[in-house]
Amino acid sequence: MPDIDETKEAKMFYTDMPQQTEGFFLKGSNSLDWGIKNRLSRIFNPQTKRTVMLAIDHGYFQGPTTGLERVDINILPLVPYADTLMLTRGILRSVVPPSISKSIVLRVSGGTSILKELSNEDIAVDIEDSIRLNVCAMAIQVFIGGEYERQSIINMTKMIDIGTRYGIPTLAVTAVGKNMARDAQYFRLATRICAELGAHYIKTYYIEDGFETVTASCPVPIVMAGGKKIPELDALTMAYNALQKGAAGVDMGRNIFQSEAPTAMIQAVRAVVHDNETPARAMELYNTLKHQG
Ligand code: R5P
């Protein structure tokens, strides 16, 4: 018979229960370090494995974009419905209250405007500022096939190296030049290059034909970019189809904040992403919320 102390000790150590080693929930991300995984878990919901990112960083190259003229008035009410805000440090510091608990994806590339060649970007934010701002990822534009392709790729790899040193993931944003074909072959090329060179996740556009080959051949999560404003049902359908074809969420801007009812729209997008609602049901939700004002 063990004495009382021995029984107690056996219970405390649970010697009959091996420690569980859980795999990480995001595609291709199991070998990353704890800090990077923890930050990704604040961007992607560990239950649904998906994210709703609200992109409001357009001003860094095109100034006060329609819908973003007053971020304080038009965007802050949407924040409760987003998982993540993607924005510049200027808007973050000047407008967003530091008390928000949402994760932040910080735009860290820049240096060009719509008046010049957009691919001529550089790294525009020091890693120290990303750390200071407690961001969960850094977003950087990559222009595959663009005039400054090499420079933009090297910007990305530098950011990945620096970010990895401090446990901050890098989001590669695949930017498509005006004259480039937006097809599966192009997006397979662009996303795979970013992933091969170490991007932790990738933002790319949806295409009707072959999007599933883009997500299948990219070893890390892909989030769908929204693109220019289209009718609400079309935007919800695009998001739904992207998710069905392997996207791990959306990073939408204009199709949310340029909607007639942005608060209703972001909730409808959220229903598609996290509740697997069909476009028709999400549209019903949009209409109901819109009429409720
Ligand atoms: C573009 O270069 C920026 O990353 C934007 O944040 C993003 O592409 C815009 O989102 P959307 O196309 O949905 O307005």
Side-chain angles (χ1 to χ4, degrees), residues 182-201:
R182 291 185 176 218
D183 58 18
Q185 191 179 12
Y186 175 80
F187 287 118
R188 283 194 300 263
L189 176 75
T191 56
R192 183 63 177 255
I193 287 173
C194 294
E196 295 264 354
L197 291 173
H200 297 99
Y201 73 111

Side-chain angles (χ1 to χ4, degrees), residues 55-58 60-61 86 107 141 173 175 203 205 225-228 251-255 257:
I56 57 162
D57 61 328
H58 308 55
Y60 92 95
F61 69 101
M86 177 186 178
R107 157 69 54 188
Q141 218 78 349
V173 180
K203 168 173 172 170
Y205 291 95
K228 66 174 194 246
D251 186 10
M252 292 171 80
R254 287 164 289 176
N255 275 296
F257 62 71

Side-chain angles (χ1 to χ4, degrees), residues 137-156:
M138 301 177 294
I140 192 146
Q141 218 78 349
V142 181
F143 296 83
I144 301 298
E147 194 175 331
Y148 290 85
E149 174 190 83
R150 181 180 183 281
Q151 181 177 311
S152 71
I153 292 175
I154 298 303
N155 289 341
M156 177 191 73

